[in-house]
Amino acid sequence: MRALTWHGKRDVRIDTVPDPKIIEPTDVLVKITSTGICGSDLHLYEVLGPYLEPGDILGHEPMGLVEEVGPEVTALAPGDRVVVPFNVSCGSCWMCDRGLHSQCETTQVREHGMGASLFGYTKLYGQVPGGQAEFLRVPFGNTLPVKVPHGPPDERFVYLSDVLPTAWQAVAYADPPPDAHVVVLGLGPIGDMAARIALHRGARQVIGVDLVPERLARARERGVHTLNVDELGADLGDEVRRLTDGRGADAVIEAVGMEAHGAPVAKAAQQMVGLLPDRLAEKLMSRAGVDRMAAFHAAVDVVRRGGTISVVGVYGGAMDPLPLLTMFDKQVQLRMGQANVRRWVDDILPLLDDEDRLGVEGFATHKLPLEDGPQAYKTFQAKEDGMIKTLLQP
Ligand SMILES: NC(=O)c1ccc[n+]([C@@H]2O[C@H](COP(=O)([O-])OP(=O)(O)OC[C@H]3O[C@@H](n4cnc5c(N)ncnc54)[C@H](O)[C@@H]3O)[C@@H](O)[C@H]2O)c1
Ligand SMILES: [Zn+2]
Ligand SMILES: [Zn+2]
């Protein structure tokens, strides 16, 4: 089959690779019809290279049609339409029973002390072949894939794989009180959708922060008060306080992560790590704390005293310097983590009807054939061509 594979920093290709096969009796094989490119994939493209191997198949936002089922699969049959959550979670262990699918004890990567395996990610997350491909092997066929009806276009459902549950969890963890001022840092797909969900759930005001004009404009069109961090610089906190009765935001969602714009020193350090031999680089990335923390620092600045920060952006280093004095003094409540995708699906599904209250059907800015994947990564990273969300269609 054809698949998008990683080969090195800023080097992904479409290769012909062996077709996946049913291995466990509860596996299903899915023929992919749409598969998103995520901001998390950009971390693989740029800074997380030490944790990948050439030929790894990327992608963790797929949907498609069941092609084949293992002998113990009773919940699905060939021809069924499914969305595949990005966590590889069993659905029946202690963690899954508590809605913590990103910590699934059946697929935890204990060798590296990490949580549940993920499709199409790094060695730290199990190096499971991903879904930017023609076919995907999906374990736990009776519990993991989300069965959706035939009929509506893929865009109606495909974001159940990641964007919707991740944004939903970001808002749930931010836990805005009724009538809250909510700040969303980063208006990529995750921040944009989190802003929509916060408004849908009754926030008084959502303030969205980014620096890319079309991302700001798109959020503004849906009722978000937008701020350009490039123009405001260090005045961002004062501007947010001005808009929130002088106190700051009740709840802040940090949807940027470790490649935040605005910390050039750390960027140089990350790039240096990128040039080291892999074994050394791997150590440095996980031990030396070279992450770019600009967005996290902004979150601590704009949150009100006693407010909540929900970190949904991905961080990768183990020793990032945190502003602990300020966090403690402001009595910040901090929640974070990989989304527990399966947990939120039943809450979200009713919103994916003809009314389309979250605007999922116009959400993708680009729909491209799988073969255009490498160019799409390039364009997405450079934030060119108005690209915000891309669906590849194998
Ligand atoms: N926790 C999870 O389960 C989960 C799931 C999916 C994605 N993510 C992470 O969420 C983050 C966002 O994902 P995405 O797909 O929206 O990616 P994205 O790269 O499209 O979005 C990031 C946005 O942040 C903006 N930005 C950069 N620096 C900024 C700054 N200093 N202040 C404000 N905005 C800034 C960028 O312009 C961009 O629009 C990524 O870190 C991704 O890895 C986490
Ligand atoms: Zn994703
Ligand atoms: Zn589990």
Side-chain angles (χ1 to χ4, degrees):
M1 66 167 182
R2 303 288 276 164
L4 187 136
T5 56
W6 182 93
H7 286 270
K9 186 173 170 176
R10 295 189 199 175
D11 181 4
V12 296
R13 304 177 196 168
I14 303 292
D15 286 338
T16 299
V17 302
D19 289 351
K21 292 192 170 49
I22 301 274
I23 299 173
E24 299 293 331
T26 52
D27 286 351
V28 300
L29 281 188
V30 179
K31 182 179 192 325
I32 303 304
T33 54
S34 288
T35 184
I37 304 180
C38 179
S40 296
D41 294 324
L42 290 181
H43 305 318
L44 309 176
Y45 195 61
E46 186 70 22
V47 298
L48 293 181
Y51 300 121
L52 288 144
E53 273 166 29
D56 283 352
I57 302 173
L58 305 188
H60 60 264
E61 304 189 348
M63 72 173 290
L65 299 171
V66 174
E67 175 82 6
E68 195 185 330
V69 300
E72 286 176 24
V73 175
T74 52
L76 292 173
D80 283 346
R81 194 180 193 201
V82 291
V83 182
V84 183
F86 76 81
N87 324 110
V88 185
S89 54
C90 75
S92 57
C93 69
W94 195 92
M95 287 291 175
C96 286
D97 280 349
R98 283 158 183 76
L100 292 165
H101 296 80
S102 69
Q103 313 302 328
C104 174
E105 289 181 339
T106 310
T107 75
Q108 274 179 16
V109 187
R110 293 191 170 78
E111 173 192 3
H112 295 296
M114 302 294 282
S117 299
L118 308 179
F119 287 102
Y121 226 63
T122 59
K123 287 185 242 173
L124 297 184
Y125 287 109
Q127 207 171 17
V128 182
Q132 287 165 2
E134 288 181 286
F135 293 93
L136 178 68
R137 170 188 166 240
V138 181
F140 311 114
N142 288 316
T143 48
L144 181 58
V146 180
K147 190 170 162 180
V148 296
H150 290 279
D154 278 4
E155 295 100 295
R156 175 85 62 96
F157 303 116
V158 68
Y159 305 115
L160 284 170
S161 57
D162 183 342
V163 175
L164 284 165
T166 297
W168 195 273
Q169 178 170 305
V171 176
Y173 282 10
D175 198 19
D179 245 17
H181 296 290
V182 178
V183 165
V184 179
L185 296 168
L187 295 170
I190 301 297
D192 181 331
M193 190 55 80
R196 296 179 191 204
I197 292 169
L199 283 170
H200 169 75
R201 297 185 57 171
R204 167 155 41 139
Q205 173 178 233
V206 175
I207 301 169
V209 183
D210 206 297
L211 47 138
V212 181
E214 64 270 17
R215 294 179 184 221
L216 291 161
R218 166 156 134 148
R220 208 155 43 234
E221 276 161 27
R222 296 194 66 98
V224 174
H225 184 106
T226 58
L227 298 177
N228 186 329
V229 65
D230 238 7
E231 288 165 7
L232 284 164
D235 295 334
L236 176 67
D238 287 340
E239 183 59 15
V240 168
R241 281 180 286 279
R242 198 183 65 74
L243 292 165
T244 54
D245 312 319
R247 293 197 185 88
D250 303 293
V252 179
I253 293 166
E254 200 280 56
V256 180
M258 64 180 141
E259 290 179 76
H261 176 87
V265 178
K267 173 150 202 214
Q270 264 178 356
Q271 278 171 347
M272 262 173 51
V273 169
L275 298 173
L276 291 173
D278 275 4
R279 294 211 64 71
L280 258 180
E282 209 171 317
K283 276 217 173 77
L284 259 186
M285 274 301 289
S286 56
R287 305 246 175 87
V290 294
D291 290 347
R292 305 174 66 186
M293 300 286 296
F296 188 85
H297 282 272
V300 175
D301 185 14
V302 303
V303 71
R304 72 156 160 78
R305 291 181 178 275
T308 308
I309 297 176
S310 166
V311 178
V312 64
V314 166
Y315 283 91
M319 286 197 4
D320 304 306
L322 291 181
L324 283 169
L325 183 138
T326 311
M327 290 166 70
F328 181 84
D329 182 61
K330 288 182 81 170
Q331 199 176 331
V332 170
Q333 306 180 62
L334 178 64
R335 304 185 74 184
M336 60 173 100
Q338 208 83 253
N340 304 299
V341 172
R342 208 60 178 85
R343 170 177 183 172
W344 309 107
V345 167
D346 293 340
D347 293 324
I348 299 166
L349 266 172
L351 293 173
L352 305 181
D353 57 8
D354 288 340
E355 226 186 293
D356 194 12
R357 277 157 286 183
L358 297 175
V360 292
E361 288 191 31
F363 196 69
T365 52
H366 292 70
K367 284 183 244 170
L368 300 167
L370 179 67
E371 299 288 325
D372 290 354
Q375 180 58 44
Y377 268 71
K378 210 168 161 218
T379 307
F380 183 39
Q381 193 197 34
K383 300 189 172 60
E384 284 168 0
D385 196 29
M387 186 178 278
I388 301 176
K389 189 71 186 179
T390 295
L391 296 176
L392 298 174
Q393 300 179 313

